[in-house]
Every structure is written in structure tokens, then in C-alpha cells.
Amino acid sequence: MWLSTLSLFLRMKFLKLLLDFYINSSIHVALAVFSFVRMTQYMVKIPYENSVVYFAFFGTIVGYNFVKYNSLVHEQKFRLRIELKCILVLSLFSFIATGYFYLQLQRITQIIALIFFGVTLLYTLPFFPNRSNARNWAGIKIYIVALSWVGVTLFLPIVNSGINFTQILFPFALQRFTILFVLILIFEIIDLKNDNPNLETVPQQIGVLNTKRIGSLLLVFFLLLEFINHDSNLKVLLLKVGIAVTSFLFLWFANQKKSKYYTNFWVESIPVIWWLLLLFFS
């Protein structure tokens, strides 16, 4: 009896370690980016082109791991644990893969990708004298993150496909920015107890309740934008309604007592679930 209990405990512990590595190594967030790029290709009717998809996927792993672990490794605040060593190896492999798929992109896409890479560096490293990195600039973090995601998941695949920008793409980009903004608000609510007060995140400035109210209004705006898109269909609309309702529930149930899995796994799973449902109903 006790052997089976011990075996179950060890299996559960191993699965937790595996899940933690999956999240901490940024594979999960990269899968969310992957899903958004695929949705862009589907909704804008772009032929599937793998180079931009895998560039975004592996580039996200490199970018996020650089942001999360650069200062820790540089300042040597702790010895490199096995997990961190594995993350560094994964990041190195992802960096090579990112370079490989970068070379397959169109020239204009490569230039735009370099701009977003520069934004990532600005977000992480202090380039200006007596100023911290952009990640710590008061009130600006949420906009940098949302705009970066829109750029990588929407504009890169469109530019790489050679499709001309039309008026219809503006509400589509605004819609993508809006849903991303709401999802980041959930992160800011959860991280409220740990964030530096000088960051001036939205919940720090207006409170949790008002943040939830604004997020709810933004979700309504997100759905209203769908009616501007004349190429939309009932299936896409219903899926977006479902995603809006799901995001609404995550937003209103968010609080500082939730575990890291609430946002780092479940909230970041929303784009993945969205993409899988789109595939299922296609």
C-alpha cells in the first residue's frame, strides 16, 4: 500500500517538475505566440508559411528567457540549478533555430523583426544613462508587451506574405491589441503584491476593481470590432465570443492569492485553446 502511495507521489512530483520546466522555459508562452500567428494566417487568409511561424515560436523562447534570466545569470545571484542549465541549453538551441528561420524570411520582414528585437533589448537592458530598462518604466510596460505581441503575431506574417495593408487590417490589429491588453491586465492583478509600486501598473493606479471594469469594457469593444470586419463569419464570431467570455471569467476571478499557474499556464492557454477550436471547427 505504502509503495503504491510513494510511487504515485513520485509520479506527481515528476509531472510537476515537468510542468514547471515547460512554463519556466517559456515553451508555453511561445506556443501562445505560435497559435496567434496561425490564427492570423487563417483569419487574414494567408497561405500557411512555416518560416515566420517557427521564427516567432523559437524567437519567443529566446526573448522571454533572455528577459527573465539575463540579470539572474549576469549578477550570479545563485548557482545554476539543473533546471536553469536545461533552460539555457534550450535557449541556445532556440537561438540557432531562430537564426535559421530568420534567414528564410523576406527582407522587409527581417528588417521589422530586427526592430522588435531592439524593443526586446530596450525592455531588458538600460541603454540610457541614469535610466532603468523599459520594463521598469512607469506605466509603459503593458503597452510595450501588447504592441510587441501584435507586431510579431500579426504584422510579421502579413508583411512576410506580401499582402498589401488595407483598412480592414486596422480594426483587426486593434482587436488583437485589445484582447492582449486584457490578458496582461490579469497578470498585473495577480502580480500586484510583488510588483514595485514605482511601476505604476494599471491596478496600482486605479485599483483592482476598476481594472476589472475597464477590462470588461475592453472585451465588449473587442467583440464590437468584429462587426467592422466584413470578412468575418459566424464560426469566427462565436469563437471570439467564447474567448471574450473566458477572458472575462479569468479577469474577474483574478486576485493576488492565485498561484502562478493561474496566469502562467491557464491564461496563456487561451490563445492555444482558441487556435485548437478554430482548427476543430474548420
Side-chain angles (χ1 to χ4, degrees):
M1 180 68 179
W2 67 271
L3 285 176
S4 60
T5 303
L6 178 61
S7 176
L8 178 61
F9 171 77
L10 291 175
R11 284 199 296 268
M12 294 300 293
K13 187 175 182 179
F14 173 75
L15 289 175
K16 184 180 183 302
L17 289 173
L18 197 61
L19 177 62
D20 286 341
F21 176 78
Y22 171 72
I23 294 173
N24 295 336
S25 62
S26 304
I27 296 175
H28 191 56
V29 68
L31 191 59
V33 170
F34 175 95
S35 301
F36 267 130
V37 175
R38 283 301 195 194
M39 279 190 283
T40 297
Q41 293 176 327
Y42 176 86
M43 294 176 183
V44 187
K45 298 178 176 60
I46 300 174
Y48 281 0
E49 206 284 311
N50 287 327
S51 61
V52 69
V53 176
Y54 292 118
F55 170 78
F57 176 81
F58 289 110
T60 299
I61 293 177
V62 175
Y64 266 75
N65 287 346
F66 180 73
V67 168
K68 288 191 292 186
Y69 302 114
N70 171 67
S71 60
L72 294 177
V73 174
H74 180 70
E75 296 174 11
Q76 298 180 349
K77 289 185 176 179
F78 57 85
R79 290 177 298 176
L80 298 184
R81 301 190 305 268
I82 294 178
E83 182 190 38
L84 186 54
K85 289 180 180 179
C86 293
I87 290 174
L88 291 176
V89 171
L90 174 66
S91 300
L92 177 60
F93 168 79
S94 299
F95 179 77
I96 296 171
T98 301
Y100 172 77
F101 290 110
Y102 174 82
L103 295 176
Q104 298 185 35
L105 300 175
Q106 300 296 327
R107 180 59 59 85
I108 182 62
T109 314
Q110 292 178 341
I111 295 173
I112 296 176
L114 285 178
I115 294 174
F116 286 112
F117 175 71
V119 171
T120 301
L121 291 180
L122 180 65
Y123 186 71
T124 309
L125 304 176
F127 280 94
F128 305 105
N130 303 319
R131 292 295 301 272
S132 62
N133 55 43
R135 190 181 190 185
N136 296 314
W137 291 358
I140 199 173
K141 173 184 174 181
I142 189 170
Y143 301 100
I144 292 178
V145 175
L147 286 172
S148 296
W149 274 64
V150 171
V152 171
T153 66
L154 181 65
F155 289 109
L156 281 190
I158 291 175
V159 169
N160 199 64
S161 69
I163 293 178
N164 292 325
F165 286 88
T166 61
Q167 290 183 343
I168 201 64
L169 292 178
F170 176 74
F172 190 63
L174 187 57
Q175 189 179 53
R176 178 69 56 84
F177 177 86
T178 302
I179 190 64
L180 285 167
F181 195 92
V182 174
L183 295 181
I184 299 170
L185 286 179
I186 302 175
F187 278 83
E188 292 196 342
I189 292 173
I190 300 296
D191 295 338
L192 188 57
K193 61 183 177 182
N194 298 319
D195 280 341
N196 188 321
N198 295 325
L199 280 178
E200 296 184 14
T201 62
V202 176
Q204 287 175 344
Q205 294 183 70
I206 65 174
V208 172
L209 182 59
N210 286 331
T211 299
K212 292 180 178 182
R213 289 171 176 167
I214 288 178
S216 301
L217 291 175
L218 287 173
L219 288 172
V220 174
F221 179 64
F222 166 78
L223 292 176
L224 290 176
L225 285 169
E226 187 64 22
F227 294 98
I228 301 178
N229 184 6
H230 301 294
D231 293 330
S232 181
N233 56 61
L234 182 60
K235 174 180 63 180
V236 172
L237 174 61
L238 290 177
L239 282 177
K240 288 184 177 180
V241 170
I243 291 302
V245 171
T246 302
S247 302
F248 174 83
L249 293 174
F250 272 106
L251 176 67
W252 279 92
F253 280 104
N255 61 64
Q256 299 173 54
K257 296 181 181 179
K258 297 291 185 183
S259 73
K260 65 177 183 178
Y261 301 108
Y262 188 84
T263 48
N264 292 344
F265 182 77
W266 293 111
V267 173
E268 287 182 352
S269 294
I270 290 176
V272 181
I273 295 172
W274 189 356
W275 167 236
L276 291 177
L277 288 174
L278 197 60
L279 281 180
F280 180 79
F281 291 109
S282 295

